[in-house]
Amino acid sequence: SSLNLAADCNAVLKALQPIFQEQGMTETVHNWEDHGYLVTYIHKNGSFANLRIHPHGLVLVDLQSCNDHMKGREEVDQLLNKVEDRMKELFHGNIKRVKRLPAILRGGVIDRYWPTADGRLVEYDIDEVVYDEDSPFQNIKILHSKQFGNILILSGDVNLAESDLAYTQAIMGSGKEDYTGKEVLILGGGDGGILYEIVKLKPKMVTMVEISFDKWPVIHINHSSSNIDQMVIDGCKKHMRKTCGDVLDNLKGECYQVLIEDCIPVLKRYAKEGRMFDYVINDLTAVPISTSPEEDSTWEFLRLILDLSMKVLKQDGKYFTQGNCINLTDALTLYEEQLSRLYCPVEFSKETVCVPSYMELY
């Protein structure tokens, strides 16, 4: 409860005490002269409540319970209803806002909480753990969401869901490019989504190449795909077929090949051989959140990939890559500055899309 006036902390405490006492909860009061009250209420069943009364007019109730059945939830709601009603009686029209937040479920079999790139906590409607394995490099999870289908999560980062065709289409040029008869290089993309969509467009050849883990530190950036390995490919081809179709069933097809190799020596080899591509699509890692590009190894890696990619890109070729959450303006501006430091001049444009499972503009 947020009040329009300063709170009489003692009056609030006396008004709310009977509610908790009726529940048979044991009370402990902590009083700071200028900072209000902290009151804890403990029940013999293990549940407890913290009541924090701030003199400036903010009253917080945090209730934690081990009850996971309907009756227990109803009891919690009834208690909070009584607190809310008593506050309204006490302050009449002087309550600016009353806000009740949904319960955060801790320690459940299914983890439903994942942060966005800009630090907001999102609760997903996860109802099943489809796949959960540790490769030599990372933890790989595929979780089922009622809204978004299966979601690939690598070491805590939401990478891609079956709902996220918008991401794949955007990183391919949003339907404005003609891939017919073209040579395409995909860096990363282990979920198979980009490969699957490009193969439909009749390219001459698509080469998808992965990154090695032994030369670069794994720095986890939200929605990054830098940490793909064979186990990710195996998991996706079984559990994310709406995204990858059948292209991951074989590492070589009529117009594509998948190389499970370190992409850096591959790029260097292609540059030395003079092999050139019409399109290079970098799905390795998002723009780093760090705003210290000279000190962050992810920025160093990003610049190296950019430089090597330009060396295998045809003069009129195009390079597509992901950015990051639109709220990360400083990091995105720093990335644009990196483009002016390349050994060759480039022009660039950018596009903002809504990626469903990210729950943010990207």
Side-chain angles (χ1 to χ4, degrees), residues 193-213:
I194 299 171
L195 179 62
Y196 180 55
E197 295 301 323
I198 288 185
V199 165
K200 296 178 187 177
L201 303 177
K202 308 300 181 185
K204 179 179 179 181
M205 176 55 68
V206 183
T207 301
M208 185 173 111
V209 60
E210 272 307 337
I211 180 175
S212 137
F213 291 83

Side-chain angles (χ1 to χ4, degrees), residues 49 204 242 273 283:
K204 179 179 179 181
K242 290 181 181 178
E273 295 170 352
D283 195 33

Side-chain angles (χ1 to χ4, degrees), residues 6 43 87 153 222 248 257 311 325 343:
H43 197 281
M87 287 293 294
I153 299 176
N222 278 52
L248 298 180
Q257 60 177 339
K311 292 178 180 177
C325 169
Y343 75 93

